[in-house]
Amino acid sequence: MSLVRAARPGQFIVGAFLATILTGTLLLMLPVARTGAPGWESFSGIAPYDPPSFGPSFGQGAPLSVALFTATSATSVTGLIVVDTATYWSGFGQAVLLVLMQIGGLGTMTIAALVAIVIARRLGLHQRTLTAAATGELHLGDVRSVIVRIAILAVLAELIAAAVMATRFLLIGQEPTTAVFHAVFLAISAFNNAGFAPFTDSLISYAADPAIILPISALIITGGLGFPVLVELRRRFRSPHRYSLNTRIVLVGTTLLLGGGWLAMAVMEWRNPATLGTHPVGTKLLMAWFSSVSPRTAGFNSVDIAGQYDVTWLVTDLLMFVGGGPAGTAGGIKVTTALVIAFIVVTEIRGERAVNALGRRLSRSVHRQALTVAALSALAVLIVTMGLMALTPANLDRALFEAISAFATVGLSTGITPSLPGSAQLLLIVLMFIGRLGPVTVAAALALSRRKKLYEYPKDRPLIG
Protein backbone atom coordinates (compact mmCIF):
# COMPACT_ATOMS: atom_id res chain seq x y z
CA MET A 1 0.00 0.00 0.00
CA SER A 2 1.39 3.40 -0.97
CA LEU A 3 2.13 6.12 1.55
CA VAL A 4 -0.69 8.28 0.17
CA ARG A 5 -3.23 5.50 0.61
CA ALA A 6 -1.92 4.56 4.01
CA ALA A 7 -2.19 8.08 5.35
CA ARG A 8 -5.35 9.12 7.12
CA PRO A 9 -7.43 11.80 5.34
CA GLY A 10 -6.39 14.40 7.92
CA GLN A 11 -2.69 13.75 7.34
CA PHE A 12 -3.03 13.92 3.57
CA ILE A 13 -5.04 17.15 3.72
CA VAL A 14 -2.44 18.76 6.00
CA GLY A 15 0.35 17.59 3.69
CA ALA A 16 -1.37 18.91 0.56
CA PHE A 17 -2.05 22.24 2.25
CA LEU A 18 1.58 22.52 3.35
CA ALA A 19 2.78 21.67 -0.17
CA THR A 20 0.59 24.46 -1.58
CA ILE A 21 2.11 26.97 0.85
CA LEU A 22 5.66 25.92 0.02
CA THR A 23 4.98 26.14 -3.72
CA GLY A 24 3.48 29.60 -3.29
CA THR A 25 6.48 30.66 -1.19
CA LEU A 26 8.92 29.65 -3.90
CA LEU A 27 6.92 31.47 -6.59
CA LEU A 28 6.72 34.65 -4.50
CA MET A 29 10.49 34.55 -3.94
CA LEU A 30 11.13 34.84 -7.68
CA PRO A 31 12.37 38.29 -8.80
CA VAL A 32 9.48 38.55 -11.26
CA ALA A 33 7.00 38.41 -8.37
CA ARG A 34 7.92 41.78 -6.84
CA THR A 35 8.19 45.33 -8.10
CA GLY A 36 11.16 46.40 -6.03
CA ALA A 37 9.11 49.11 -4.34
CA PRO A 38 9.30 49.57 -0.56
CA GLY A 39 7.26 46.93 1.16
CA TRP A 40 5.40 48.82 3.84
CA GLU A 41 4.89 52.22 5.35
CA SER A 42 3.34 51.79 8.77
CA PHE A 43 0.16 53.75 9.44
CA SER A 44 -0.47 52.35 12.90
CA GLY A 45 1.09 55.25 14.75
CA ILE A 46 3.44 53.01 16.74
CA ALA A 47 7.19 52.64 16.39
CA PRO A 48 8.24 49.54 14.43
CA TYR A 49 10.11 46.71 16.08
CA ASP A 50 13.08 45.08 14.36
CA PRO A 51 12.22 44.84 10.65
CA PRO A 52 11.40 41.22 9.84
CA SER A 53 14.14 39.62 7.77
CA PHE A 54 15.16 36.00 7.75
CA GLY A 55 15.96 33.45 5.12
CA PRO A 56 17.51 33.76 1.66
CA SER A 57 16.08 35.39 -1.45
CA PHE A 58 16.47 34.80 -5.18
CA GLY A 59 18.33 37.89 -6.40
CA GLN A 60 15.93 40.82 -6.17
CA GLY A 61 13.04 38.57 -5.16
CA ALA A 62 11.20 38.72 -1.87
CA PRO A 63 13.08 37.27 1.13
CA LEU A 64 11.89 33.98 2.57
CA SER A 65 10.30 35.70 5.57
CA VAL A 66 8.01 37.86 3.40
CA ALA A 67 7.23 35.14 0.86
CA LEU A 68 6.42 32.49 3.49
CA PHE A 69 4.21 34.78 5.53
CA THR A 70 2.34 36.04 2.46
CA ALA A 71 1.91 32.57 0.94
CA THR A 72 0.59 31.20 4.23
CA SER A 73 -1.76 34.15 4.61
CA ALA A 74 -3.10 33.75 1.05
CA THR A 75 -3.45 29.96 1.16
CA SER A 76 -5.12 30.09 4.56
CA VAL A 77 -7.28 32.94 3.18
CA THR A 78 -6.31 35.15 6.10
CA GLY A 79 -5.20 38.44 4.59
CA LEU A 80 -2.62 39.49 7.17
CA ILE A 81 0.25 41.21 5.37
CA VAL A 82 3.80 42.26 6.12
CA VAL A 83 4.23 44.21 2.87
CA ASP A 84 1.84 46.37 0.88
CA THR A 85 0.07 44.13 -1.65
CA ALA A 86 -0.56 46.99 -4.07
CA THR A 87 3.03 48.25 -4.34
CA TYR A 88 5.31 45.38 -3.32
CA TRP A 89 4.00 42.58 -5.55
CA SER A 90 4.12 42.74 -9.35
CA GLY A 91 1.33 41.58 -11.62
CA PHE A 92 2.83 38.09 -11.52
CA GLY A 93 3.04 38.18 -7.73
CA GLN A 94 -0.57 39.31 -7.39
CA ALA A 95 -1.63 36.58 -9.83
CA VAL A 96 0.10 34.02 -7.60
CA LEU A 97 -1.85 35.42 -4.65
CA LEU A 98 -5.11 35.04 -6.61
CA VAL A 99 -4.38 31.38 -7.32
CA LEU A 100 -3.38 30.70 -3.71
CA MET A 101 -6.54 32.38 -2.43
CA GLN A 102 -8.75 30.36 -4.77
CA ILE A 103 -7.03 27.11 -3.82
CA GLY A 104 -7.12 27.99 -0.13
CA GLY A 105 -10.77 29.03 -0.24
CA LEU A 106 -12.16 26.08 -2.18
CA GLY A 107 -9.69 23.72 -0.55
CA THR A 108 -6.74 21.78 -1.90
CA MET A 109 -8.76 18.57 -2.06
CA THR A 110 -11.62 20.30 -3.86
CA ILE A 111 -9.28 21.70 -6.51
CA ALA A 112 -7.60 18.31 -6.93
CA ALA A 113 -11.00 16.65 -7.30
CA LEU A 114 -12.03 19.19 -9.94
CA VAL A 115 -8.87 18.48 -11.93
CA ALA A 116 -9.53 14.75 -11.69
CA ILE A 117 -13.12 15.22 -12.86
CA VAL A 118 -12.03 17.30 -15.84
CA ILE A 119 -9.18 14.97 -16.87
CA ALA A 120 -10.43 11.51 -15.92
CA ARG A 121 -14.14 12.34 -15.47
CA ARG A 122 -14.24 10.22 -12.35
CA LEU A 123 -13.00 10.06 -8.78
CA GLY A 124 -11.49 7.05 -7.08
CA LEU A 125 -12.72 5.90 -3.69
CA HIS A 126 -9.63 7.27 -1.92
CA GLN A 127 -9.98 10.70 -3.54
CA ARG A 128 -13.72 10.77 -2.78
CA THR A 129 -12.91 10.04 0.87
CA LEU A 130 -10.34 12.84 1.05
CA THR A 131 -12.61 15.33 -0.71
CA ALA A 132 -15.58 14.43 1.48
CA ALA A 133 -13.46 15.03 4.58
CA ALA A 134 -12.37 18.43 3.25
CA THR A 135 -15.82 19.64 2.13
CA GLY A 136 -17.92 18.23 4.95
CA GLU A 137 -19.89 15.97 2.62
CA LEU A 138 -21.36 12.96 4.39
CA HIS A 139 -22.26 10.75 1.42
CA LEU A 140 -19.37 9.56 -0.74
CA GLY A 141 -21.64 8.91 -3.68
CA ASP A 142 -22.56 12.61 -3.91
CA VAL A 143 -19.01 13.97 -3.80
CA ARG A 144 -18.61 14.42 -7.56
CA SER A 145 -21.85 16.37 -7.98
CA VAL A 146 -21.13 18.42 -4.85
CA ILE A 147 -17.69 19.41 -6.15
CA VAL A 148 -19.16 20.52 -9.48
CA ARG A 149 -21.87 22.55 -7.73
CA ILE A 150 -19.30 24.21 -5.46
CA ALA A 151 -17.19 25.23 -8.44
CA ILE A 152 -20.18 26.59 -10.36
CA LEU A 153 -21.46 28.55 -7.35
CA ALA A 154 -18.03 30.04 -6.67
CA VAL A 155 -17.39 31.10 -10.26
CA LEU A 156 -20.88 32.53 -10.77
CA ALA A 157 -20.78 34.51 -7.53
CA GLU A 158 -17.34 35.89 -8.31
CA LEU A 159 -18.23 36.79 -11.90
CA ILE A 160 -21.46 38.61 -10.99
CA ALA A 161 -19.83 40.65 -8.23
CA ALA A 162 -16.76 41.36 -10.38
CA ALA A 163 -19.00 42.67 -13.18
CA VAL A 164 -20.76 45.06 -10.79
CA MET A 165 -17.51 46.34 -9.30
CA ALA A 166 -15.74 46.63 -12.66
CA THR A 167 -18.59 48.79 -13.92
CA ARG A 168 -18.28 51.00 -10.88
CA PHE A 169 -14.50 51.32 -11.24
CA LEU A 170 -14.96 52.30 -14.90
CA LEU A 171 -17.50 54.96 -13.93
CA ILE A 172 -15.10 56.57 -11.46
CA GLY A 173 -12.36 56.81 -14.07
CA GLN A 174 -10.17 53.72 -13.86
CA GLU A 175 -8.64 52.30 -17.02
CA PRO A 176 -10.58 49.27 -18.35
CA THR A 177 -7.76 46.79 -17.74
CA THR A 178 -7.13 48.12 -14.23
CA ALA A 179 -10.85 48.19 -13.42
CA VAL A 180 -11.34 44.57 -14.46
CA PHE A 181 -8.24 43.39 -12.60
CA HIS A 182 -9.21 45.20 -9.40
CA ALA A 183 -12.76 43.83 -9.62
CA VAL A 184 -11.66 40.24 -10.23
CA PHE A 185 -9.01 40.44 -7.49
CA LEU A 186 -11.53 41.75 -4.96
CA ALA A 187 -14.21 39.23 -6.02
CA ILE A 188 -11.92 36.22 -5.58
CA SER A 189 -10.52 37.60 -2.35
CA ALA A 190 -13.98 38.36 -0.94
CA PHE A 191 -15.68 35.06 -1.84
CA ASN A 192 -12.77 33.14 -0.39
CA ASN A 193 -12.83 35.38 2.71
CA ALA A 194 -9.15 36.19 2.09
CA GLY A 195 -9.05 39.93 2.78
CA PHE A 196 -6.26 40.81 0.34
CA ALA A 197 -6.93 44.07 -1.51
CA PRO A 198 -5.11 45.65 -4.47
CA PHE A 199 -5.16 49.00 -2.64
CA THR A 200 -2.74 50.24 0.02
CA ASP A 201 -5.53 51.31 2.39
CA SER A 202 -7.66 48.17 1.85
CA LEU A 203 -11.19 49.56 1.21
CA ILE A 204 -11.01 52.78 3.23
CA SER A 205 -11.15 54.87 0.02
CA TYR A 206 -14.42 53.13 -0.92
CA ALA A 207 -16.02 53.12 2.53
CA ALA A 208 -18.93 55.29 1.37
CA ASP A 209 -19.44 53.50 -1.98
CA PRO A 210 -22.25 50.90 -1.77
CA ALA A 211 -21.48 49.69 -5.32
CA ILE A 212 -18.19 48.32 -3.98
CA ILE A 213 -18.98 47.57 -0.33
CA LEU A 214 -22.28 45.71 -0.85
CA PRO A 215 -21.08 43.25 -3.55
CA ILE A 216 -18.04 42.46 -1.41
CA SER A 217 -20.29 41.99 1.62
CA ALA A 218 -22.52 39.61 -0.34
CA LEU A 219 -19.51 37.55 -1.43
CA ILE A 220 -18.10 37.40 2.11
CA ILE A 221 -21.42 36.18 3.52
CA THR A 222 -22.00 33.70 0.69
CA GLY A 223 -18.56 32.15 0.96
CA GLY A 224 -18.75 32.17 4.74
CA LEU A 225 -21.97 30.15 4.90
CA GLY A 226 -20.08 26.99 4.00
CA PHE A 227 -20.36 24.74 0.97
CA PRO A 228 -22.82 22.24 2.53
CA VAL A 229 -25.22 25.11 3.24
CA LEU A 230 -24.83 26.60 -0.24
CA VAL A 231 -25.45 23.25 -1.90
CA GLU A 232 -28.53 22.58 0.23
CA LEU A 233 -29.93 26.06 -0.38
CA ARG A 234 -29.55 25.42 -4.11
CA ARG A 235 -31.37 22.09 -3.81
CA ARG A 236 -34.13 23.09 -1.38
CA PHE A 237 -34.35 26.86 -1.53
CA ARG A 238 -38.16 26.83 -1.60
CA SER A 239 -38.50 24.16 1.10
CA PRO A 240 -37.01 25.62 4.28
CA HIS A 241 -38.88 23.05 6.37
CA ARG A 242 -36.61 20.41 4.83
CA TYR A 243 -33.35 22.17 5.73
CA SER A 244 -30.86 20.10 7.71
CA LEU A 245 -30.00 21.11 11.26
CA ASN A 246 -26.58 22.30 10.06
CA THR A 247 -28.15 24.70 7.58
CA ARG A 248 -30.67 25.97 10.14
CA ILE A 249 -28.01 26.65 12.75
CA VAL A 250 -25.70 28.39 10.26
CA LEU A 251 -28.47 30.63 8.91
CA VAL A 252 -29.79 31.55 12.35
CA GLY A 253 -26.33 32.12 13.80
CA THR A 254 -25.14 34.15 10.81
CA THR A 255 -28.20 36.40 10.99
CA LEU A 256 -27.81 36.98 14.72
CA LEU A 257 -24.10 37.73 14.53
CA LEU A 258 -24.38 40.03 11.52
CA GLY A 259 -27.29 41.96 13.04
CA GLY A 260 -25.77 42.10 16.51
CA GLY A 261 -22.36 43.07 15.17
CA TRP A 262 -23.85 45.82 13.00
CA LEU A 263 -25.70 47.31 15.96
CA ALA A 264 -22.67 47.05 18.27
CA MET A 265 -20.30 48.66 15.74
CA ALA A 266 -22.70 51.53 15.07
CA VAL A 267 -23.37 52.25 18.74
CA MET A 268 -19.75 52.08 19.90
CA GLU A 269 -18.11 53.95 17.01
CA TRP A 270 -20.89 56.43 16.14
CA ARG A 271 -19.10 59.45 17.61
CA ASN A 272 -15.51 58.27 17.17
CA PRO A 273 -13.83 60.92 14.97
CA ALA A 274 -11.18 58.42 13.87
CA THR A 275 -13.74 56.04 12.35
CA LEU A 276 -17.46 56.86 11.89
CA GLY A 277 -17.81 60.16 13.71
CA THR A 278 -17.19 62.59 10.83
CA HIS A 279 -19.39 60.87 8.22
CA PRO A 280 -23.08 61.34 7.34
CA VAL A 281 -25.65 58.92 8.76
CA GLY A 282 -25.93 56.75 5.65
CA THR A 283 -22.18 56.30 5.42
CA LYS A 284 -21.95 55.55 9.13
CA LEU A 285 -24.49 52.74 8.76
CA LEU A 286 -22.68 51.34 5.72
CA MET A 287 -19.30 51.45 7.46
CA ALA A 288 -20.74 49.87 10.64
CA TRP A 289 -22.34 47.14 8.51
CA PHE A 290 -19.08 46.31 6.79
CA SER A 291 -17.25 46.36 10.14
CA SER A 292 -19.66 43.60 11.21
CA VAL A 293 -19.39 41.57 7.99
CA SER A 294 -15.63 41.64 7.46
CA PRO A 295 -14.56 40.03 10.77
CA ARG A 296 -16.47 36.89 9.69
CA THR A 297 -13.89 36.29 8.25
CA ALA A 298 -12.68 38.38 5.34
CA GLY A 299 -10.29 40.93 6.77
CA PHE A 300 -11.05 43.91 4.54
CA ASN A 301 -11.44 47.16 6.42
CA SER A 302 -13.29 50.33 5.45
CA VAL A 303 -12.19 52.12 8.63
CA ASP A 304 -8.80 52.41 10.31
CA ILE A 305 -8.78 49.52 12.79
CA ALA A 306 -6.04 51.22 14.82
CA GLY A 307 -8.41 54.15 15.39
CA GLN A 308 -11.22 52.07 16.88
CA TYR A 309 -11.97 52.03 20.59
CA ASP A 310 -10.63 49.15 22.69
CA VAL A 311 -14.16 47.88 23.37
CA THR A 312 -14.76 47.70 19.62
CA TRP A 313 -11.65 45.57 19.29
CA LEU A 314 -13.13 43.21 21.87
CA VAL A 315 -16.40 42.87 19.93
CA THR A 316 -14.37 42.28 16.76
CA ASP A 317 -12.36 39.63 18.63
CA LEU A 318 -15.59 37.77 19.41
CA LEU A 319 -16.87 38.01 15.83
CA MET A 320 -13.54 36.80 14.46
CA PHE A 321 -13.25 33.93 16.92
CA VAL A 322 -16.69 32.56 16.04
CA GLY A 323 -16.24 33.03 12.28
CA GLY A 324 -18.61 31.60 9.68
CA GLY A 325 -20.08 28.28 8.64
CA PRO A 326 -18.19 24.97 8.57
CA ALA A 327 -16.65 23.44 5.43
CA GLY A 328 -16.46 26.75 3.60
CA THR A 329 -14.11 29.66 3.09
CA ALA A 330 -14.58 31.16 6.56
CA GLY A 331 -12.40 30.56 9.60
CA GLY A 332 -12.97 30.70 13.35
CA ILE A 333 -14.43 27.96 15.51
CA LYS A 334 -17.55 28.20 13.29
CA VAL A 335 -21.11 29.30 14.00
CA THR A 336 -22.26 25.72 14.60
CA THR A 337 -19.64 25.15 17.30
CA ALA A 338 -20.56 28.36 19.12
CA LEU A 339 -24.30 27.71 19.02
CA VAL A 340 -23.96 24.06 20.05
CA ILE A 341 -22.00 25.18 23.12
CA ALA A 342 -24.70 27.79 23.80
CA PHE A 343 -27.38 25.08 23.59
CA ILE A 344 -25.37 22.89 25.99
CA VAL A 345 -25.11 25.75 28.49
CA VAL A 346 -28.83 26.54 28.28
CA THR A 347 -29.70 22.86 28.74
CA GLU A 348 -27.46 22.60 31.81
CA ILE A 349 -28.94 25.76 33.33
CA ARG A 350 -32.46 24.44 32.83
CA GLY A 351 -31.51 21.10 34.37
CA GLU A 352 -32.59 19.13 31.31
CA ARG A 353 -30.89 15.94 30.16
CA ALA A 354 -31.07 16.04 26.36
CA VAL A 355 -29.57 18.96 24.43
CA ASN A 356 -32.11 20.15 21.86
CA ALA A 357 -31.46 22.60 19.04
CA LEU A 358 -34.10 24.01 16.70
CA GLY A 359 -36.36 21.01 16.97
CA ARG A 360 -33.62 18.34 16.93
CA ARG A 361 -31.74 16.46 19.65
CA LEU A 362 -27.95 16.71 19.50
CA SER A 363 -25.89 13.56 19.89
CA ARG A 364 -23.30 13.40 22.67
CA SER A 365 -20.49 13.10 20.14
CA VAL A 366 -21.45 16.54 18.82
CA HIS A 367 -21.15 17.92 22.38
CA ARG A 368 -17.62 16.56 22.68
CA GLN A 369 -16.59 17.81 19.25
CA ALA A 370 -17.82 21.34 19.90
CA LEU A 371 -16.14 21.56 23.30
CA THR A 372 -12.89 20.11 21.92
CA VAL A 373 -12.75 22.58 19.01
CA ALA A 374 -13.48 25.54 21.28
CA ALA A 375 -10.96 24.46 23.93
CA LEU A 376 -8.12 23.75 21.49
CA SER A 377 -8.80 26.97 19.61
CA ALA A 378 -8.80 29.07 22.76
CA LEU A 379 -5.58 27.37 23.89
CA ALA A 380 -3.84 28.06 20.56
CA VAL A 381 -4.86 31.73 20.65
CA LEU A 382 -3.79 32.06 24.28
CA ILE A 383 -0.33 30.57 23.66
CA VAL A 384 0.37 32.80 20.65
CA THR A 385 -0.96 35.89 22.44
CA MET A 386 1.45 35.23 25.29
CA GLY A 387 4.23 34.67 22.77
CA LEU A 388 3.56 37.97 21.01
CA MET A 389 3.55 39.83 24.31
CA ALA A 390 6.83 38.18 25.32
CA LEU A 391 8.58 38.85 22.00
CA THR A 392 7.31 42.40 21.33
CA PRO A 393 6.20 45.52 23.21
CA ALA A 394 2.58 44.89 22.09
CA ASN A 395 0.01 45.14 24.87
CA LEU A 396 -2.72 42.56 25.51
CA ASP A 397 -5.34 44.26 23.30
CA ARG A 398 -3.14 44.35 20.21
CA ALA A 399 -1.53 40.93 20.75
CA LEU A 400 -4.89 39.24 21.32
CA PHE A 401 -6.40 40.95 18.26
CA GLU A 402 -3.55 39.82 15.96
CA ALA A 403 -3.61 36.27 17.35
CA ILE A 404 -7.36 35.84 16.90
CA SER A 405 -7.19 37.42 13.46
CA ALA A 406 -4.51 34.92 12.44
CA PHE A 407 -6.25 31.89 13.96
CA ALA A 408 -9.66 32.79 12.56
CA THR A 409 -8.04 33.55 9.15
CA VAL A 410 -9.52 37.04 9.15
CA GLY A 411 -6.64 39.37 8.33
CA LEU A 412 -7.71 42.48 10.24
CA SER A 413 -4.84 44.12 12.07
CA THR A 414 -4.26 46.91 14.55
CA GLY A 415 -1.17 47.74 12.51
CA ILE A 416 1.55 45.80 14.31
CA THR A 417 1.92 42.72 12.08
CA PRO A 418 4.25 44.30 9.45
CA SER A 419 6.70 45.39 12.14
CA LEU A 420 6.76 42.18 14.17
CA PRO A 421 10.12 40.43 14.48
CA GLY A 422 10.62 37.21 12.55
CA SER A 423 10.01 34.99 15.59
CA ALA A 424 6.63 36.60 16.23
CA GLN A 425 5.67 36.31 12.57
CA LEU A 426 6.50 32.60 12.69
CA LEU A 427 4.00 32.24 15.53
CA LEU A 428 1.32 33.86 13.36
CA ILE A 429 2.26 31.61 10.41
CA VAL A 430 1.73 28.50 12.54
CA LEU A 431 -1.52 29.91 13.89
CA MET A 432 -2.84 30.69 10.38
CA PHE A 433 -2.00 27.14 9.33
CA ILE A 434 -3.81 25.64 12.31
CA GLY A 435 -6.74 28.00 11.98
CA ARG A 436 -7.40 27.22 8.33
CA LEU A 437 -7.27 23.44 8.69
CA GLY A 438 -8.83 23.36 12.14
CA PRO A 439 -7.10 22.47 15.41
CA VAL A 440 -8.71 19.03 15.57
CA THR A 441 -7.60 18.14 12.03
CA VAL A 442 -4.04 19.23 12.74
CA ALA A 443 -3.95 17.44 16.10
CA ALA A 444 -5.34 14.25 14.55
CA ALA A 445 -2.82 14.43 11.71
CA LEU A 446 0.04 14.75 14.21
CA ALA A 447 -1.20 11.87 16.36
CA LEU A 448 1.10 8.88 16.08
CA SER A 449 -1.62 6.28 16.39
CA ARG A 450 -5.25 5.72 17.19
CA ARG A 451 -5.89 2.76 19.43
CA LYS A 452 -9.38 1.74 20.39
CA LYS A 453 -9.61 0.85 24.06
CA LEU A 454 -11.11 -2.56 24.82
CA TYR A 455 -12.04 -1.59 28.37
CA GLU A 456 -13.71 1.22 30.35
CA TYR A 457 -12.92 2.66 33.76
CA PRO A 458 -15.61 2.76 36.46
CA LYS A 459 -17.69 5.94 36.49
CA ASP A 460 -17.15 8.67 39.04
CA ARG A 461 -18.29 12.28 39.38
CA PRO A 462 -15.99 15.12 40.52
CA LEU A 463 -17.45 18.38 41.76
CA ILE A 464 -17.80 21.02 39.02
CA GLY A 465 -18.04 24.75 39.67
Side-chain angles (χ1 to χ4, degrees), residues 289-305:
W289 161 255
F290 196 69
S291 295
S292 174
V293 173
S294 191
R296 315 191 43 252
T297 55
F300 298 105
N301 60 289
S302 60
V303 300
D304 183 3
I305 301 298

Side-chain angles (χ1 to χ4, degrees), residues 161-364:
V164 173
M165 290 188 287
T167 302
R168 179 56 179 164
F169 287 140
L170 287 170
L171 291 176
I172 61 178
Q174 289 190 6
E175 293 293 328
T177 303
T178 302
V180 171
F181 177 77
H182 285 170
V184 171
F185 192 101
L186 286 173
I188 293 177
S189 183
F191 180 81
N192 292 293
N193 278 227
F196 281 89
F199 312 115
T200 300
D201 63 352
S202 190
L203 297 178
I204 292 178
S205 298
Y206 300 94
D209 194 337
I212 301 298
I213 296 299
L214 294 181
I216 290 177
S217 297
L219 286 174
I220 293 170
I221 295 171
T222 301
L225 289 176
F227 299 135
V229 173
L230 294 178
V231 171
E232 184 166 13
L233 288 177
R234 183 180 179 277
R235 288 175 177 173
R236 304 170 178 172
F237 183 75
R238 297 183 179 180
S239 304
H241 61 282
R242 298 177 59 195
Y243 289 170
S244 66
L245 180 59
N246 178 73
T247 297
R248 294 180 185 181
I249 290 179
V250 170
L251 293 178
V252 170
T254 298
T255 301
L256 291 175
L257 289 172
L258 286 175
W262 188 10
L263 177 63
M265 294 296 178
V267 170
M268 291 184 295
E269 295 291 320
W270 194 263
R271 298 183 183 279
N272 185 350
T275 55
L276 309 186
T278 60
H279 297 278
V281 173
T283 302
K284 286 182 178 181
L285 292 175
L286 183 64
M287 294 169 72
W289 161 255
F290 196 69
S291 295
S292 174
V293 173
S294 191
R296 315 191 43 252
T297 55
F300 298 105
N301 60 289
S302 60
V303 300
D304 183 3
I305 301 298
Q308 291 180 329
Y309 295 133
D310 291 351
V311 66
T312 308
W313 285 355
L314 183 58
V315 172
T316 305
D317 287 342
L318 295 174
L319 292 175
M320 292 192 297
F321 190 70
V322 173
T329 63
I333 65 172
K334 306 299 187 295
V335 174
T336 46
T337 302
L339 286 191
V340 165
I341 293 175
F343 288 130
I344 293 174
V345 171
V346 170
T347 300
E348 188 65 25
I349 291 174
R350 290 178 174 177
E352 300 173 353
R353 299 186 62 183
V355 178
N356 300 313
L358 304 179
R360 296 289 189 274
R361 180 168 59 87
L362 300 178
S363 67
R364 293 189 181 277

